[in-house]
Amino acid sequence: MDNKDKKLDVNLENEGIKKDETEPKTQNIKDDNNAQTDDASIMKSAEELGAMDVDELMEQYDLETGKLRKLTGTVAKIIAIVAILMSAFHLFTAYHGTLLAMKQRSLHLIFAFTLGFALFPGSEKSSKTKIQILDWLLIIVSVVVWGYIFFNVEEIALKGGRMTTFDMVMGVLSVLLTLEVTRRAVGPELPIVTIIFLLFAYFGRSLPGVFAHRGFNITRIVSHMYMTTEGIMGTPLGVSSTFVFMFILFGSFLDKTGVGEFFIDFAYALTGSTKSGPAMTSVLSSGLMGSISGSSVANTVTTGAFTIPLMKSVGYKPHYAGAVEATASTGGQIMPPVMGAAAFIMADFTGFPYISIVKAAIIPAVLYYIAVGTMVHLEACKLGLKGMPRNSLPKVSKILAKQGYLTLPLIAIIFMLIKQYPPTLAALVGIVIGVVVALVASLVKKDGSFTPKDIIGAMEAGAKSAVGVACACACAGMIVGVVTLTGFGLKIAEVIVLIAQGKLIPTLLLTMVASIILGMGLPTTAKYIVLATMAVPAITKLGVNLMSAHLFILYFGVVADVTPPVALAAYAGAGIAGSNSMKTGVQAFKLAIGAFIIPYIFVINPHLIMVDSVVGTTVNWLPVTAALPTIATALIGTVCLAGTVEAYLFGKLRAWQRVILVVAAFGLLDPKLLTDAIGLGALVLTFVTQKVLNKKEQQTA
């Protein structure tokens, strides 16, 4: 669905839902014997169930795109041209090859900072409809500061870190500009953390104990941040200016082709008739859309505007409906093939090929969605709900025949990543294929569904969506720069291991807490960068392989979006559902429980991610034949975990049966012969006791 639509009408037509009803009766949905509606009536009917202000929800809950100014007139056209030129530059370098690192990154920053200061107001009192004089001044200074790097790369390299007075002025301005544009685009948390790190670099001699270091003067710090690829223009920005931007642009093009609606239609046709009906539709469609969008909040708002009212209409409570959508949308960041921007940064940080990260991530991601899907199905069983009548749903075959071509870009990208083509080239090919098939389909159908104007719109929207990521990566680059300059990463690793007394589980618990706390205020890319720099060394110090360690911190950085007290995706879901925010957040946390347990399992036993061992950046994979039993038991364990949370499996669970079932869940999730045997035994015991007790209850009733 396109976020530009101010109002997104959610429609539903069924015999049990009457015009102007805001809370349709569940029983009418269950009585489906006489349903004779057309295949697509539910999706396209004219009866209005509700209308959601997508822009308003995005503004309230999305950290990176929610505060954009709504410019008009000539200024809006100028900024649109800048955004289009930014996309054109990245498309050009994706095809012809990137420029020298500092040239590529400095030009990326010129575009990003220009858009950042133009589109994001400086304060609540600043104009939301026009660019002010101070903003224009900051844009001009940004162009000068980063233009100086772009045109003088060779001269700067020959200086070897020595700075003239002019260099020093430019360097100080670069730091201040980065802090300010990040504050506007992302929020104050990341700049505050960055300032603390910069002060740490300067006052090192005055710090106590393990935090003490030699200290560095302002000239050295500024030089490191501005004139090298170890600071602002470090690895995070390098990934942002290549892989990340291209995949954000790819997502923007897919959005214009209508792939979001296709995912919802396809998921609804496939799952609408199940007991959990619309809730299962939410899980499947949000997983599909989230795997390419990379934003928990944006995905919650766009797909949730349809799925949440639909869930409420069949009997799910408002807070539960909002939680389901938020949990499903959040999981998109750990679902291949794209996995959000953090996966590309992970590939650059670790040296693993991107496809290796995708391969390792696939089983835990599938388990996450199976856990969520199972829980919503068990909730439907508890409530006695029924799905939509099959003859009232659109047919899968018809949807695939009509819109299946929209998946061709995704298929192309997956194929190219498997063949280990560069990710930037894969994204470029995906964009080209998406544009070609959309244009051809539009011409064949003669419906004007995709035109050259949409291409320009996608380029503009893609660049604007990338601003927050670019600014966050630039700011986080300074944190990484301080860590490399002072050796703080190794020191903090020693502190974590010391506090945990050299034990793995306490170390993982500390890392998890740090990940969630950081995740409350930072976007996924920024929190991953910080934790990869500081927490991963602590985990690997205790013998955990590099792949498992990085996936561990990524998981907990992601699930912060559904972890109270600051669960932004859950609060966005609550905004659509009209439910209590905290209640929705708590429910989302329960639904996402798999993401809190599975990472511990694959750290302790990496067979769950099909990894046998890791030597340097070479992954020795577990053979498929050896992985299948692991996958099978993990799937059963995931279902047991879902049953434990919902207090329902083969029927309602008593408290002591839930204890037995949680033993089954953990036993089966841990891929070892002994634990699997214990887990299966506990599951059989649960099944037998439920059958026996349920039979007795029926006899005495």
Side-chain angles (χ1 to χ4, degrees):
M1 293 187 184
D2 197 337
N3 289 347
K4 70 183 179 181
D5 295 328
K6 291 261 185 191
K7 298 285 181 180
L8 201 162
D9 293 330
V10 183
N11 303 320
L12 183 65
E13 182 179 339
N14 191 275
E15 60 179 288
I17 301 177
K18 300 176 182 178
K19 192 172 183 178
D20 298 329
E21 285 184 340
T22 57
E23 291 292 339
K25 294 180 174 55
T26 305
Q27 186 59 43
N28 289 335
I29 299 296
K30 296 178 185 178
D31 296 333
D32 55 18
N33 294 332
N34 299 317
Q36 299 294 331
T37 54
D38 180 76
D39 287 342
S41 63
I42 293 175
M43 310 297 286
K44 302 179 186 293
S45 101
E47 292 187 318
E48 184 176 357
L49 225 180
M52 305 302 159
D53 191 332
V54 174
D55 285 352
E56 183 180 331
L57 288 166
M58 289 288 288
E59 182 176 338
Q60 187 173 359
Y61 297 109
D62 195 289
L63 288 173
E64 296 178 15
T65 61
K67 305 296 181 183
L68 293 179
R69 280 186 173 120
K70 296 173 178 62
L71 302 175
T72 57
T74 303
V75 172
K77 293 177 182 177
I78 293 171
I79 296 305
I81 290 170
V82 172
I84 293 164
L85 288 174
M86 184 180 189
S87 293
F89 161 67
H90 285 87
L91 288 168
F92 176 82
T93 56
Y95 180 72
H96 286 284
T98 57
L99 309 179
L100 289 172
M102 292 187 75
K103 280 182 173 287
Q104 179 84 14
R105 298 171 193 183
S106 58
L107 192 51
H108 181 68
L109 285 178
I110 288 174
F111 284 119
F113 280 32
T114 298
L115 293 174
F117 286 121
L119 294 172
F120 293 93
S123 69
E124 290 294 327
K125 296 180 180 179
S126 300
S127 173
K128 304 298 188 295
T129 57
K130 65 179 182 178
I131 304 173
Q132 298 178 306
I133 295 175
L134 177 61
D135 302 321
W136 285 117
L137 180 62
L138 291 171
I139 289 170
I140 293 169
V141 175
S142 298
V143 172
V144 172
V145 166
W146 298 115
Y148 177 67
I149 293 288
F150 182 82
F151 289 108
N152 297 278
V153 169
E154 292 81 5
E155 182 184 335
I156 289 170
L158 292 173
K159 287 181 180 179
R162 296 186 301 275
M163 299 186 79
T164 64
T165 302
F166 184 76
D167 293 336
M168 187 66 184
V169 172
M170 292 291 100
V172 171
L173 287 173
S174 74
V175 172
L176 295 176
L177 287 168
T178 302
L179 292 171
E180 172 59 12
V181 76
T182 305
R183 182 191 68 81
R184 293 185 180 202
V186 178
E189 294 83 3
L190 182 56
I192 289 171
V193 173
T194 304
I195 291 169
I196 292 171
F197 270 80
L198 291 172
L199 292 173
F200 169 76
Y202 182 77
F203 289 106
R205 288 190 183 90
S206 305
L207 296 173
V210 71
F211 295 104
H213 61 87
R214 55 179 287 192
F216 298 90
N217 60 37
I218 293 176
T219 302
R220 178 67 188 283
I221 294 171
V222 171
S223 172
H224 194 72
M225 297 303 149
Y226 178 59
M227 302 183 72
T228 73
T229 54
E230 298 292 329
I232 295 172
M233 291 186 289
T235 295
L237 190 70
V239 180
S240 170
S241 65
T242 51
F243 311 137
V244 172
F245 186 93
M246 285 302 296
F247 274 87
I248 290 174
L249 189 59
F250 170 69
S252 181
F253 271 95
L254 280 190
D255 183 60
K256 292 292 182 182
T257 65
V259 75
E261 283 123 4
F262 164 70
F263 283 153
I264 291 177
D265 290 354
F266 175 75
Y268 196 62
L270 200 64
T271 64
S273 63
T274 63
K275 284 187 177 182
S276 48
M280 197 64 76
T281 299
S282 172
V283 174
L284 181 57
S285 62
S286 297
L288 291 170
M289 195 62 195
S291 68
I292 59 173
S293 74
S295 171
S296 302
V297 174
N299 195 22
T300 300
V301 171
T302 51
T303 58
F306 172 81
T307 60
I308 290 174
L310 206 56
M311 281 186 269
K312 289 170 64 179
S313 75
V314 299
Y316 285 101
K317 294 178 181 177
H319 77 277
Y320 195 91
V324 169
E325 179 57 48
T327 308
S329 295
T330 298
Q333 292 185 82
I334 54 175
M335 173 59 78
V338 178
M339 297 174 62
F344 295 103
I345 298 174
M346 186 191 300
D348 212 75
F349 267 38
T350 61
F352 293 126
Y354 181 76
I355 192 63
S356 293
I357 294 171
V358 167
K359 186 176 178 180
I362 186 67
I363 292 177
V366 170
L367 291 177
Y368 173 87
Y369 275 100
I370 287 174
V372 177
T374 303
M375 278 186 262
V376 300
H377 182 74
L378 294 176
E379 180 74 9
C381 292
K382 280 198 300 184
L383 296 175
L385 304 181
K386 291 183 180 180
M388 294 296 187
R390 171 54 67 184
N391 63 353
S392 72
L393 296 172
K395 295 186 186 305
V396 174
S397 57
K398 286 187 177 181
I399 290 173
L400 289 175
K402 186 178 179 181
Q403 299 174 283
Y405 65 89
L406 294 173
T407 62
L408 289 175
L410 278 172
I411 294 170
I413 276 192
I414 294 169
F415 173 80
M416 293 190 72
L417 289 175
I418 290 172
K419 292 295 183 181
Q420 298 192 22
Y421 285 95
T424 48
L425 182 60
L428 177 63
V429 170
I431 289 170
V432 171
I433 291 175
V435 168
V436 170
V437 297
L439 284 173
V440 170
S442 180
L443 289 172
V444 171
K445 296 177 182 178
K446 297 180 181 180
D447 59 358
S449 57
F450 191 84
T451 65
K453 186 178 179 181
D454 289 312
I455 298 175
I456 301 301
M459 293 174 71
E460 179 186 350
K464 289 179 178 179
S465 296
V467 170
V469 175
C471 295
C473 286
C475 200
M478 288 194 279
I479 296 175
V480 177
V482 170
V483 170
T484 57
L485 188 64
T486 63
F488 182 64
L490 295 176
K491 290 185 177 182
I492 197 67
E494 290 173 4
V495 170
I496 291 173
V497 173
L498 184 65
I499 294 173
Q501 298 181 340
K503 295 178 181 177
L504 180 58
I505 297 300
T507 300
L508 294 176
L509 285 169
L510 287 172
T511 305
M512 178 188 75
V513 172
S515 300
I516 292 172
I517 291 173
L518 278 173
M520 291 176 183
L522 304 183
T524 303
T525 47
K527 58 199 169 199
Y528 169 75
I529 291 164
V530 174
L531 289 163
T533 306
M534 296 190 299
V536 165
I539 301 174
T540 54
K541 217 176 188 46
L542 297 174
V544 176
N545 73 71
L546 196 62
M547 180 72 80
S548 297
H550 277 268
L551 283 175
F552 183 88
I553 62 169
L554 176 62
Y555 260 69
F556 286 110
V558 166
V559 296
D561 284 340
V562 288
T563 306
V566 187
L568 293 179
Y571 296 166
I576 299 172
S579 60
N580 178 272
S581 295
M582 186 56 66
K583 193 174 182 180
T584 305
V586 171
Q587 183 61 57
F589 173 81
K590 289 168 63 179
L591 289 169
I593 193 68
F596 289 87
I597 295 171
I598 292 169
Y600 285 91
I601 303 299
F602 65 63
V603 164
I604 295 169
N605 193 329
H607 286 186
L608 191 62
I609 56 174
M610 294 194 296
V611 171
D612 190 26
S613 62
V614 177
V615 181
T617 57
T618 302
V619 180
N620 297 315
W621 298 101
L622 198 67
V624 175
T625 52
L628 285 176
T630 298
I631 296 170
T633 56
L635 284 172
I636 301 170
T638 300
V639 173
C640 293
L641 181 64
T644 303
V645 173
E646 287 291 327
Y648 191 99
L649 192 58
F650 308 108
K652 290 184 179 180
L653 290 168
R654 295 156 181 82
W656 59 271
Q657 288 175 321
R658 291 177 76 181
V659 173
I660 297 173
L661 194 59
V662 79
V663 172
F666 282 103
L668 289 162
L669 281 169
D670 186 4
K672 294 176 185 173
L673 188 60
L674 177 60
T675 54
D676 286 346
I678 294 171
L680 284 171
L683 177 58
V684 170
L685 181 59
T686 304
F687 174 75
V688 171
T689 56
Q690 275 213 292
K691 288 296 181 183
V692 170
L693 291 173
N694 289 346
K695 189 175 181 180
K696 284 184 177 179
E697 286 182 355
Q698 290 173 359
Q699 290 174 348
T700 56

